[in-house]
Amino acid sequence: MANTTEITMEQLLAEAPVAGMAAGDVIEGTVIAAEKHEVWLDLGARGTGLVVGREIEHSQDIKPGDIISASVLDPEDDRGYAILSLKKVAKEKGWESLEERFSKGEVFGVTAFDANKGGLLIEVDGIRGFLPVSQLSAENYPRVSGADKDEILHRLNSLIGKTLEVRVLDLNRRDNKLILSEKAAKREDTESKVSKMKVGDVVEGVATGVVDFGIFVNVNGVEGLVHISEIARDRVDNPSSYVKVGDKGAAKIISIDRDKLSLSMKQLLADPWIKDAAKYGVGDEVEGKITRITPFGAFVQVTSAIEALVHISELSDSHVEDPSTLVKLGETKKFRIIAIDPESHKLSLSLKNPKKQADSDK
């Protein structure tokens, strides 16, 4: 009789429905079989569990005999199996891992699996996240002229599959939000590099972007900008005429703002204004062409580098109301140099009769 009772109990346990489970519960089971599209688990007294399709976390190396955790999707289907998910458990563990990384400010490597015009799509520990364009480092930021969105996307696509060092910038498990930053991951390193630089240093860099207002330069991982006014001694209309993306060259640091550099290329070039002005002295007579006429005087091109001013008060010994009554645009005249200011790059001219001027000064 005792044996009959024992057999009956074993049968009852084997045939018992999957009890004590509800959707969302996390349970443990032993892997019976693990195939590409399905995993079978022995849940003991709770029966057998099945994980299929997308609910398998492929990143896990699962093999028979392993004891793993799974989340219950359906306590019992029409065949009597518990339908489980490995992905949900992996996702919860992923959030826990990311929250720990966030709290510690940990730097870790990720690879993007896709890109859009706003940034890179990343998956970390089963959690999908986003790395915005604005949070890319200096060497990876897609600097393009005129904010060309197609070119930006092209540059971002080139980063897919490349390992990037990042930090968690923001996360919210409830909203399924994960924002990463490459810039933040390199901040300490960037600040350390900047601390060793000073205004006046000449540095080597690589052009990372050429835009209407200047040239962006990567100086050993630190972002620098050569403003259009600091590219050359002559007037610059198009920065791309001077530098292309990928070009290497030297520049001078003219200011430092936290982790960014303002650079100058022209300050490394010989100053043609100084060179030309050295040929003249106050009182010398020069020939020049009228290039502009304004209410306060006229501008004269003396050399290719020097444009001088004839103030309205120096156009004639008599009072002048309108400069255009005495000089015409494009005409060439002889003038007398009355002042040279190398520091301000100013050369002043006069059309007055020097003898009359001397007599009036007596």
Side-chain angles (χ1 to χ4, degrees):
M1 191 69 161
N3 289 338
T4 304
T5 304
E6 186 177 343
I7 294 171
T8 302
M9 286 298 294
E10 289 175 353
Q11 290 175 339
L12 286 172
L13 287 171
E15 297 174 1
V18 184
M21 287 191 295
D25 286 352
V26 176
I27 60 172
E28 281 192 348
T30 303
V31 177
I32 301 170
E35 304 295 338
K36 184 176 181 180
H37 298 297
E38 61 181 28
V39 176
W40 294 86
L41 297 181
D42 179 1
L43 305 178
R46 292 176 169 180
T48 303
L50 175 62
V51 188
V52 294
R54 294 182 178 180
E55 298 306 322
I56 298 174
E57 180 57 43
H58 292 292
S59 63
Q60 295 186 38
D61 182 17
I62 302 170
K63 58 185 182 299
D66 286 350
I67 297 175
I68 61 175
S69 297
S71 177
V72 179
L73 297 179
D74 182 355
E76 185 177 7
D77 70 356
D78 54 8
R79 297 169 296 175
Y81 302 129
I83 304 303
L84 310 173
S85 170
L86 300 185
K87 183 180 285 188
K88 290 187 70 175
V89 171
K91 194 169 185 179
E92 288 302 308
K93 289 182 178 178
W95 279 115
E96 290 172 5
S97 172
L98 286 166
E99 286 168 350
E100 184 176 359
R101 284 174 166 174
F102 184 41
S103 66
K104 292 180 178 179
E106 182 182 333
V107 175
F108 55 96
V110 298
T111 54
F113 66 86
D114 201 358
N116 58 38
K117 293 174 182 178
L120 299 171
L121 305 180
I122 309 285
E123 185 168 320
V124 186
D125 297 334
I127 310 299
R128 291 201 171 188
F130 191 60
L131 202 172
V133 171
S134 62
Q135 293 303 318
L136 287 169
S137 64
E139 58 262 46
N140 290 324
Y141 191 96
R143 299 285 185 186
V144 298
S145 182
D148 184 336
K149 291 184 178 180
D150 290 333
E151 179 60 22
I152 289 174
L153 183 57
H154 174 71
R155 299 271 189 94
L156 291 174
N157 280 327
S158 71
L159 297 175
I160 293 175
K162 178 181 176 181
T163 300
L164 304 174
E165 295 294 312
V166 300
R167 266 194 175 125
V168 176
L169 189 65
D170 189 19
L171 84 167
N172 187 310
R173 190 191 299 208
R174 185 183 62 186
D175 297 336
N176 205 35
K177 175 185 177 183
L178 172 62
I179 306 297
L180 305 173
S181 172
E182 186 188 24
K183 185 188 292 185
K186 296 191 174 185
R187 182 167 292 125
E188 286 85 356
D189 182 51
T190 300
E191 291 176 351
S192 174
K193 289 175 180 176
V194 171
S195 69
K196 298 173 184 176
M197 300 176 182
K198 62 182 183 297
V199 172
D201 284 352
V202 176
V203 293
E204 294 287 330
V206 179
T208 56
V210 182
V211 294
D212 295 340
F213 56 86
I215 302 164
F216 284 95
V217 181
N218 175 15
V219 181
N220 191 27
V222 180
E223 183 177 73
L225 172 67
V226 182
H227 190 267
I228 190 170
S229 63
E230 291 294 331
I231 293 175
R233 294 291 182 183
D234 300 327
R235 175 184 172 84
V236 177
D237 293 316
N238 185 5
S240 63
S241 299
Y242 293 80
V243 173
K244 305 297 181 189
V245 171
D247 285 354
K248 297 179 180 179
K252 183 178 181 180
I253 299 176
I254 55 176
S255 73
I256 300 175
D257 180 14
R258 297 177 65 183
D259 60 348
K260 293 182 179 180
L261 309 174
S262 291
L263 306 170
S264 174
M265 292 165 56
K266 79 176 185 182
Q267 290 190 27
L268 297 182
L269 304 173
D271 190 339
W273 196 100
I274 298 295
K275 181 181 178 181
D276 286 0
K279 302 173 185 176
Y280 305 111
V282 174
D284 287 354
E285 186 178 78
V286 295
E287 188 173 80
K289 184 179 181 180
I290 306 297
T291 56
R292 287 182 289 161
I293 299 174
T294 70
F296 57 84
F299 287 90
V300 180
Q301 197 74 47
V302 178
T303 71
S304 60
I306 298 177
E307 188 179 52
L309 172 66
V310 187
H311 191 267
I312 190 171
S313 62
E314 293 294 334
L315 285 172
S316 172
D317 296 306
S318 304
H319 178 71
V320 179
E321 290 287 347
D322 182 3
S324 63
T325 60
L326 293 177
V327 293
K328 303 299 179 186
L329 197 64
E331 74 173 329
T332 299
K333 284 181 172 290
K334 289 186 177 181
F335 303 86
R336 182 168 50 89
I337 298 175
I338 59 173
I340 301 174
D341 183 354
E343 188 173 337
S344 300
H345 282 199
K346 290 182 180 179
L347 191 146
S348 302
L349 303 176
S350 177
L351 268 177
K352 284 183 177 181
N353 185 315
K355 185 178 181 180
K356 288 185 178 181
Q357 179 67 42
D359 290 341
S360 66
D361 290 341
K362 291 180 180 180

